[in-house]
Amino acid sequence: MAPLSVEEARAALLAGLRPLGRIKVRLEEANGRVLAEAVRAPGPYPPFSRSLVDGYALGPHDANSDGSSFIYRLVGTVTAGSTTAIALKEGTAAAVFTGARLPEGTVAVVPVEAVKERQGEIVVLDFPASGRYLEQSGEEVKPGEEILAAGTVIGPGEISLLAALGFREITVYRRPRVALATTGNELREPGNGRVADFFDRAAIYGSNLYALAAAVEAYGGQVICLGILKDVLEEQVAACRRGLEEGDLLLFTGGAGGSAFDFTSAAFSGAGGELLFTELAVRPGKRAVAARAGNKLMIGLPGTPPAAQVLFYLLVVPVLKAMGGRQGALSAFLAPLKKAVDRPRAERTFYWARVECRGGRFEVTPLPRYPGGIRAAVGANALIDLPPGAAPKEGEEVTVIMISDIE
């Protein structure tokens, strides 16, 4: 197969992809989930007209006032949560507290400090009553109003709104189940024996399994761990079949290079997958594989950790977002380089980078490059996207793709 661009590969993966099924979750489980349907208010908010301050609810002022002083007679007190039934008539008032239901007939509320004088049950003002310091029923939310649209990602603010309107559970898209495996005879689980002894062997700790599991969960997926697989085609085909049965997406790392011991393409095909691509026109991550088995995707990332992580953000994140009902790609924009890129590359290249905001403007610094790349992503919150042959100098603008928040 001819190498595909990142955009072509992404389009092939997203073609026909739809959000997964819908489930109901309790409000305490809703943070980070995506609404599968619009939410409408079951009633008004606030549910009753209420005071915004500690003070006095006023009825119509006395028509016989001399215009210099306005006198009211107190007829009761209403605290927050009280259902005391008081009706205010001309020249009467009630003491109220913040959040209290306003008595019938209230035309205004004044804070305690605005009262000119209080003598027993008499309150005196030196200005006429106005409509400040109170909130009418339904002033913020009308009954039946759409308060949250389908596709909204639920956060603390949305949870607060839902709870205030009495919702106990909501309908969200199901989180994608990602069957995750890494391949290679040289890989071992971290913590398997003493580290000092381990480094004398021809083996390495398998970091991709842990890094990608964390990344999958950060973007709303649930991990089904298939573990470390040997470079044995039959074992990998069996793992693929299990992953397709239990997961919504199959994600492999390693074995995509096309050598005699790279079996990802063959394993995907052996499990019933139709290959979409086997190579990309990009670095790092040139060797990547993808296949479709029915309505499920199989993605094989490179075994080199920085390449696997770069392609995770470029290809897997859009898939997870689409499956989970989220909209849009990762944020991308132009920013000036704080440090020059060392040399041009023949292919389109993605560099690990860190973006900072200084003096109201963004700056991006490419992170150090290491031969093995195991430290490449440490401290990164972005990728720099450079076209073939580009080697921009300090101060030149480059395309930046954000992968986490700017601190």
Side-chain angles (χ1 to χ4, degrees), residues 5 15 29 97 108 122 167 186 248 265 279 338 354 361:
S5 69
E29 302 168 341
F97 292 84
I122 301 300
F167 287 92
E186 76 281 12
D248 303 300
S265 293
E279 190 175 344
K338 194 175 178 181
R354 182 155 191 86
R361 66 194 299 265

Side-chain angles (χ1 to χ4, degrees), residues 60-72 90-91:
H61 67 266
D62 192 338
N64 296 320
S65 169
D66 61 10
S68 60
S69 292
F70 299 86
I71 301 172
Y72 295 85
E90 186 177 275

Side-chain angles (χ1 to χ4, degrees), residues 4-13 280 314-315 348 350 385:
L4 298 186
S5 69
V6 168
E7 288 76 15
E8 289 170 331
R10 186 185 299 139
L13 292 170
L280 301 178
L314 297 179
L315 299 182
R348 181 182 184 183
F350 290 86
D385 181 3

Side-chain angles (χ1 to χ4, degrees), residues 34-88:
V34 181
L35 277 178
E37 59 186 32
V39 178
R40 295 189 176 276
Y45 192 86
F48 49 81
S49 297
R50 60 183 180 177
S51 175
L52 299 177
V53 295
D54 293 347
Y56 300 94
L58 309 176
H61 67 266
D62 192 338
N64 296 320
S65 169
D66 61 10
S68 60
S69 292
F70 299 86
I71 301 172
Y72 295 85
R73 178 175 58 86
L74 290 176
V75 295
T77 298
V78 185
T79 60
S82 170
T83 57
T84 301
I86 297 175
L88 299 182

Side-chain angles (χ1 to χ4, degrees), residues 110-199:
V110 294
V112 171
E113 58 271 20
V115 172
K116 179 180 180 180
E117 183 181 356
R118 176 173 174 178
Q119 298 178 353
E121 299 303 310
I122 301 300
V123 173
V124 180
L125 304 176
D126 59 5
F127 55 86
S130 66
R132 301 174 62 193
Y133 305 111
L134 60 84
E135 187 178 18
Q136 300 290 351
S137 173
E139 189 169 324
E140 188 167 357
V141 177
K142 303 292 188 294
E145 178 183 348
E146 182 179 306
I147 55 168
L148 294 172
T152 299
V153 179
I154 301 299
E158 289 76 17
I159 289 174
S160 174
L161 175 60
L162 291 164
L165 291 169
F167 287 92
R168 194 67 187 88
E169 60 180 22
I170 55 173
T171 301
V172 298
Y173 289 114
R174 183 169 60 77
R175 296 175 65 189
R177 297 183 298 250
V178 180
L180 176 62
T182 187
T183 68
N185 291 336
E186 76 281 12
L187 300 180
R188 301 291 184 274
E189 287 281 358
N192 184 8
R194 294 197 313 140
V195 172
D197 294 338
F198 180 84
F199 285 120

Side-chain angles (χ1 to χ4, degrees), residues 363-407:
E363 293 180 333
V364 57
T365 303
L367 297 182
R369 293 170 60 86
Y370 298 93
I374 196 64
R375 299 174 62 181
V378 175
N381 62 3
L383 295 170
I384 296 173
D385 181 3
L386 291 186
K393 306 299 183 185
E394 179 180 345
E396 290 186 43
E397 287 193 331
V398 294
T399 299
V400 173
I401 300 171
M402 296 304 303
I403 61 174
S404 63
D405 294 336
I406 299 173
E407 297 177 358

